[in-house]
Amino acid sequence: MKALSIIPLSLTLLAVSTGLAQAETAEERGLAIAIELNANNDNFADSTASMTMTLINRAGKKSVRRMRSRTLEVPGDGDKSMTIFDEPADVKGTASLTYSHATEADEQWLYLPALKRVKRISSKNKTGAFMGSEFAFEDIGSQEVEKYTYKYIGDDEVNGIPVHKVEAYPAYKYSGYTRIMNYIDQERMLSLKTEFFDRKDKLLKTLSLDEYEHYDGKHWRANRLEMVNAQTGKSTILEFSDYEFATGLQSKDFSSNALKKLR
Amino acid sequence: MTHSSAQSLNATHVYRRIVTPVVAGALALVSLTANADWAYRGDVSLQLRAFTDNALHQADQSVSGSVSGNAEFNRPVGENGSFTISPFFRYDTHDENRTHVDLREFIYSHSAESWELNVGLGKVFWGVAESNNVVDIINQKDAIEGASPEHKLGQPMINLLLLRDWGEISLYVLPGFRERTYPSEDGRPRGFFTVDSDNAEYESSNEQNHIDVAARVSGAIEEWDLGFHIFHGTAREPTLQFPSFAPFYYQMTQVGLDVQATLESWLLKSELIHRSGDNITDHIQLVSGLEYSFYGVAESDVDIGVVAEWLYDDREEQADTIFQNDILLGFRFALNDEQSSEALVGVIADMDGGAKTFTVEASRRFRDNLKLSLEALIWTDAKDDPLLFQFAQEDYVQVELGYFF
């Protein structure tokens, strides 16, 4: 019975979606692109990577942070992720654990190695600077479609590559941004550039994503991210290396006890 | 209180004689296998303390210095094991008791699917509060190092951890007791009377060899983190005998709970214990309070956290701790700059006597590997306090420069 009833239903759906395509609003088109972009990022099961973050101040003085991360994809919810810090040396061994959620508040823990203490911390701080860099916590957190509403603005070019311009509006009430303009490669559906506008709707930061690599022929990842603060002149370069996917990490590898054991 | 002090004196010295070569051996072991994949972290720090008043006791130095080293070496053993060695040393220019070495950890850990076994000298933290962790009972405090819960002596333990979806059950057998460290006659800051730590006495005839046991169940339910524990054995905090000021380590049973609710910018925290034993008045101790954070104050990157906690002991005036009815109020400033500049300013005020202990802690990174820290402790209105009057002239400022690796 069921098998039979599927056929007319899917035909109906097809008819409806074709109908929508003709009268698609800018919001619907924006959402459709966001879903496609996100799908391009998902279905990796889990991943591990090393990161080098170079902070550059207005005078050009650099300071470096190094860390490693592991991420577990949670179907239907935000990712679980861990970050362990290797440099600077005074924070070596400090590690964080985040259960991000699409619409609810994230859950977050911090491991302090000198105390052997796992501390549950408030996850409300989305606007704060991550490790003194130009990346805010909300920039590096798990990106879920539901965290924003969208609007398709038009087409443009970035470095000669045709892109879609899609504006995203944070659903999170404590976000530091009024809107985020995404420049998305039309062919590969990858984000090439992002502009962040502050609460006064002034341009705050511009993120450039470069050196995309197609890992295992499945997962597109930018190996170099550069965030330039338009208001302070400071910038941060975030470089990824040693990306690995589907390494077999499980939910139990993302517990507070596992956080203590991370080295 | 019947046992001869000669035995415990002996035990202390034997421990020192054992720990020193073990620390040296551990370092040699690490250096010999240096090309195996040891993960390591640590620091070497120079510390200077300046006292603003003349002491009421014989230690009359106005400046003292010390150098300390902390390290943690960890390496995998086979598929599911790991081994951790964490040596510590301090050399102090004035206080012979503060000149000491210890193994904070010397522990093998085996992990399986749903359990974990840890055997050796370990370091464990329990608790949620900021001012004082009354539930934190497994390790002895290395009290001469300071009040922070990071200063703990390595505790001999066999620990079985059962991992569940909702949290964990942790079972401990603790063979071997570590005595609390106290300043010597030449040390500052200290109370008027020096603790005669070489002549510690024990309620148990097994003294330092009494086997203590403990269990803790902990887990999280949405925004609530909960822990329940029971401990039976030798109290980590001795009572001091009069007039000898020799520590007396009594036997006790402690049950307790710790709970934290994490509600957006609010953290609500409580730790509660009940202690009972033949040589003490049964009593409860409570630390309860809240923490609120202001993020990105005035459009800057600065975060300000406010902490308020109430510390209570139901023995009230009969309590032998300084926290019988006190309030902590603290402000934490994080600049979130490249140098991770931070400051903590706090006061613990006695609600009964009015004595106040002010603390200032601040730190800032320099270059990539150096950190400069400042600490100050100031006691005010302490003249009439039955315990704190001894510290009225012990205010100090401490500067520390650490090299981290």
Side-chain angles (χ1 to χ4, degrees), chain A residues 55-57 61-65 87-94 105 107 109 111 113-125 127-129 131-133 172-174 199-200 234 250 252 255-257 260-261 263, chain B residues 39-41 72 74 82 84 105 109 111 113 116 118 123 125 127-130 148-150 161 163 168 220 222-225 260 262 264-265 267 269 292 295 299 301 303 332 336-340 365 368-369 371 404-405:
Chain A
L55 280 53
I56 307 166
N57 72 10
K61 195 176 156 285
K62 292 178 181 178
S63 58
V64 174
R65 281 112 178 77
E87 279 181 41
D90 62 301
V91 295
K92 194 170 179 176
T94 305
E107 297 164 82
W109 294 262
Y111 174 63
L115 290 155
K116 305 268 150 196
R117 177 177 185 178
V118 173
K119 201 171 172 175
R120 175 112 172 234
I121 56 173
S122 165
S123 64
K124 194 193 147 186
N125 182 19
T127 61
M131 297 289 287
S133 75
Y172 186 67
K173 64 177 168 174
Y174 302 113
R199 286 178 186 145
K200 293 176 188 133
K234 294 200 277 184
Q250 299 165 27
K252 73 175 176 67
S255 68
S256 66
N257 187 56
K260 284 189 226 173
K261 314 289 291 181
R263 291 293 189 288
Chain B
Y40 61 87
R41 47 170 288 273
E72 181 187 314
N74 176 279
S82 72
T84 307
E105 292 174 289
S109 181
S111 299
E113 184 70 27
E116 188 183 303
N118 300 298
K123 184 170 157 180
F125 179 89
V128 291
E130 298 302 309
S148 162
E150 76 178 85
L161 200 56
L163 306 166
E168 58 193 48
E222 293 181 343
E223 55 269 269
W224 294 85
D225 288 81
Q260 176 175 324
T262 308
E264 289 201 341
S265 295
L267 306 181
K269 303 168 168 194
Y292 184 85
Y295 298 108
E299 305 278 303
D301 286 331
D303 298 335
R332 192 185 283 130
N336 295 312
D337 56 352
E338 267 171 63
Q339 295 84 9
S340 305
R365 185 187 307 118
D368 288 331
N369 293 78
K371 192 158 106 178
F404 291 79
F405 54 85

Side-chain angles (χ1 to χ4, degrees), chain A residues 127-160:
Chain A
T127 61
F130 176 70
M131 297 289 287
S133 75
E134 296 313 308
F135 287 87
F137 289 100
E138 63 183 312
D139 305 339
I140 54 166
S142 168
Q143 298 297 323
E144 306 301 324
V145 172
E146 298 84 350
K147 287 189 172 178
Y148 307 89
T149 56
Y150 303 87
K151 190 176 178 183
Y152 171 72
I153 302 296
D155 291 343
D156 202 344
E157 278 191 0
V158 173
N159 302 325

Side-chain angles (χ1 to χ4, degrees), chain A residues 6 12 18 25 33 44 47 51 67 80 145 148 150-151 164-165 177 179 182 202-203:
Chain A
I6 283 171
T12 324
T18 324
T25 64
I33 293 170
F44 59 89
S47 69
M51 292 182 260
M67 61 218 120
K80 292 183 176 179
V145 172
Y148 307 89
Y150 303 87
K151 190 176 178 183
H164 295 302
K165 283 173 74 176
Y177 311 123
R179 59 192 173 100
N182 295 288
K202 268 179 64 188
L203 177 65

Side-chain angles (χ1 to χ4, degrees), chain B residues 325-403:
Chain B
N325 180 19
D326 293 57
I327 298 275
L328 161 95
L329 188 61
F331 299 89
R332 192 185 283 130
F333 302 87
L335 266 51
N336 295 312
D337 56 352
E338 267 171 63
Q339 295 84 9
S340 305
S341 309
E342 294 178 347
L344 179 71
V345 179
V347 56
I348 295 181
D350 187 330
M351 292 293 100
D352 298 328
K356 294 172 195 71
T357 306
F358 288 88
T359 57
V360 178
E361 289 169 32
S363 67
R364 182 176 171 87
R365 185 187 307 118
F366 285 90
R367 299 178 174 276
D368 288 331
N369 293 78
L370 298 174
K371 192 158 106 178
L372 190 67
S373 312
L374 179 86
E375 188 182 309
L377 261 175
I378 299 156
W379 287 272
T380 65
D381 306 308
K383 294 266 185 306
D384 300 323
D385 189 278
L387 290 169
L388 286 177
F389 79 93
Q390 306 176 76
F391 289 89
Q393 307 243 80
E394 296 286 294
D395 299 353
Y396 70 91
V397 179
Q398 173 182 301
V399 180
E400 188 164 67
L401 181 65
Y403 170 80

